[in-house]
């Protein structure tokens, strides 16, 4: 059973950087063919893919967020992390981490963490 758990601050001030970490248990983040993704859902909106890091460490980002996004990993801890710069209230959302399998679907999700942007 694969388990993912997000951690990080629930409140960020405008213009600051959001840093979230996803801890993974039950599977190595280095094993192909899996991608490890960050996804968010803003109030009243659908799911939005932020980006992912692959089993080999390559990254890919949503073009609309790419200029502010960085995803990295710590293989010794079996964790991957998200940094989203220049936060605004439009970034208020529940942030999820997930594993993407060979079918390009998320087969395991973290429970999600609410992030609010406010001064």
């Amino acid at each position: 059973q694969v388990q993912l758990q997000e951690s990080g601050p629930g409140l960020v001030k405008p213009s600051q950087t959001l840093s979230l970490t996803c801890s993974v248990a039950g599977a190595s983040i280095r094993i192909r063919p899996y991608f490890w993704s960050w996804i968010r859902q803003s109030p009243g909106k659908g799911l939005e893919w932020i980006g992912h890091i692959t089993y080999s460490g390559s990254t890919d980002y949503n073009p609309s967020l790419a200029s502010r996004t960085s995803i990295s990993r710590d293989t010794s801890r079996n964790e991957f992390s998200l940094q989203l710069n220049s936060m605004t209230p439009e970034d208020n959302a529940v942030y999820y981490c997930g594993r993407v399998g060979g079918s390009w679907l998320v087969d395991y999700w973290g429970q999600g963490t609410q992030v609010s942007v406010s001064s």
Side-chain angles (χ1 to χ4, degrees):
Q1 181 76 2
V2 181
Q3 294 180 316
L4 297 92
Q5 178 67 58
E6 303 91 350
S7 61
L11 181 64
V12 180
K13 293 183 178 180
S15 81
Q16 288 189 339
T17 296
L18 171 68
S19 294
L20 296 176
T21 295
C22 183
S23 300
V24 180
S28 170
I29 63 173
R30 295 180 296 170
I31 300 301
R32 65 178 64 197
Y34 300 107
F35 293 4
W36 302 89
S37 294
W38 287 100
I39 298 154
R40 69 182 184 181
Q41 186 167 28
S42 301
K45 298 183 180 179
L47 295 170
E48 179 180 31
W49 174 70
I50 300 171
H52 65 235
I53 187 163
T54 73
Y55 55 88
S56 64
S58 300
T59 55
D60 196 11
Y61 304 123
N62 185 325
S64 68
L65 298 169
S67 64
R68 301 195 288 131
T69 306
S70 178
I71 296 176
S72 60
R73 66 179 185 171
D74 184 337
T75 56
S76 67
R77 294 179 178 268
N78 212 42
E79 297 176 340
F80 63 105
S81 298
L82 168 71
Q83 286 197 322
L84 187 61
N85 301 325
S86 304
M87 295 285 284
T88 75
E90 291 190 351
D91 295 311
N92 283 336
V94 178
Y95 286 73
Y96 298 93
C97 59
R99 189 184 80 168
V100 177
S103 59
W104 288 94
L105 297 175
V106 178
D107 56 3
Y108 289 98
W109 293 83
Q111 65 181 23
T113 186
Q114 174 71 53
V115 175
S116 299
V117 183
S118 176
S119 55

